[in-house]
Every structure is written in C-alpha cells, then in structure tokens.
Amino acid sequence: MKCRKCGFESTKVVDSRITDHGNAIRRRRECEKCEYRFTTFERVQASNLMVEKTDGTTEPYDRDKLERGILVACAKRPVSIKKIREKLTELEEEWGKEPVIKSQKIGADIIELLKNIDDIAYIRFASVYRKFRDVETFKKEFENLLNS
Ligand SMILES: [Zn+2]
C-alpha cells in the first residue's frame, strides 16, 4: 500500500486488529521511507474476490450468503457469532491473496473452522456443503466424529 504522505510504494504493517464487529481489519501502517503512520480499514479484497464453482463457472464472492450458511449450521448452538465473523474475516484475508478461489477450498476452510468450534455446527455445515452422496458417507463421517 502506498504512503499517503510521500507516495512511496512500500509500507509496513505495525499493528493489525479485527474491528467493525468482526467485519473489517484495522491496520496501522508505517511508510518505509518517511516513517509516516496512517490507519486503514480493509475489507476490500474480499469484495473483488471471484469464486470458482465445481462446474468450472465463476461468480462473485458473497460473504452474506456464506455467513447465512454458517449461521444456519450454528442455530441454537453455543457459538459466538462475533468469533465466527472474526475468523471469517481472517479467512477472507487468506482467500483474497488470489483473484479466484475455489468453492471447495472455501467449504473446506469453513468446515475446518467449525470443527474447532462446535461439533454439531460442523457436522451440519459439512453435510450441506459436501452434499454427501449417500447416507453411508454421512454415517461414516458422523461415526468418525463420535470416535474422535
Ligand atoms: Zn512516506
């Protein structure tokens, strides 16, 4: 990111924190040339992100849609929505490093995230996202969960 004072091309991040109810990242940046410090609120990358679906077509990344899917999976579970939003913002940072992200990658990352937060939310989300082909696959996954 360019320095706002001298226009130098390179600035370093001195502090980074999730803000706006987990929806944006607030960064303190310092110019590597003139040492001018300024603050940015970033949620830009994710809005330009394209998602490649399993059939090869692409569509714009839709955070609201993804968030709804997660919230449905977390219904009536003791899960902090704020924490989910923060983690989602962190994931978007990661995904936004490439212009196109595969939908499977998004699904896998969310599944991984929920796995660490709540077992039931995890299995709900995984069952929808992976579209388990048959009952057997679902049962196997569920048994793995119970045995883990
Ligand atoms: Zn500067």
Side-chain angles (χ1 to χ4, degrees), residues 3 5-8 31 33-36:
C3 171
K5 199 179 174 194
C6 74
F8 188 66
C31 174
K33 195 179 170 195
C34 74
E35 294 180 351
Y36 177 69

Side-chain angles (χ1 to χ4, degrees), residues 90-116:
E90 283 174 18
L91 283 172
E92 284 176 345
E93 270 288 291
E94 208 39 52
W95 300 335
K97 286 176 184 163
E98 302 288 333
V100 180
I101 178 93
K102 286 192 185 332
S103 62
Q104 295 107 303
K105 167 77 175 143
I106 292 181
D109 283 352
I110 300 295
I111 287 168
E112 202 51 42
L113 167 67
L114 291 176
K115 208 172 184 174
N116 296 322

Side-chain angles (χ1 to χ4, degrees), residues 14-27:
V14 282
D15 183 47
S16 187
R17 66 187 63 181
I18 307 280
T19 181
D20 185 24
H21 307 288
N23 292 318
I25 297 177
R26 177 188 176 278
R27 289 213 166 97

Side-chain angles (χ1 to χ4, degrees), residues 13 16 24 31-32 53 75 83 92 97 115 121 129 135 144 147:
V13 175
S16 187
C31 174
E32 288 177 4
K53 299 194 286 182
K83 191 178 169 192
E92 284 176 345
K97 286 176 184 163
K115 208 172 184 174
Y129 219 91
V135 182
N144 285 343
N147 295 330

Side-chain angles (χ1 to χ4, degrees), residues 29-77:
R29 291 177 176 274
E30 187 185 291
C31 174
E32 288 177 4
K33 195 179 170 195
C34 74
E35 294 180 351
Y36 177 69
R37 287 192 172 195
F38 59 101
T39 305
T40 55
F41 290 89
E42 296 169 35
R43 205 197 145 174
V44 187
Q45 285 174 318
S47 61
N48 298 325
L49 189 62
M50 293 298 288
V51 179
E52 185 184 324
K53 299 194 286 182
T54 39
D55 64 5
T57 58
T58 54
E59 63 180 17
Y61 169 74
D62 183 346
R63 169 156 178 160
D64 292 338
K65 188 174 143 194
L66 183 60
E67 215 174 275
R68 273 199 304 277
I70 296 171
L71 294 185
V72 167
C74 293
K76 296 182 180 168
R77 298 300 305 164

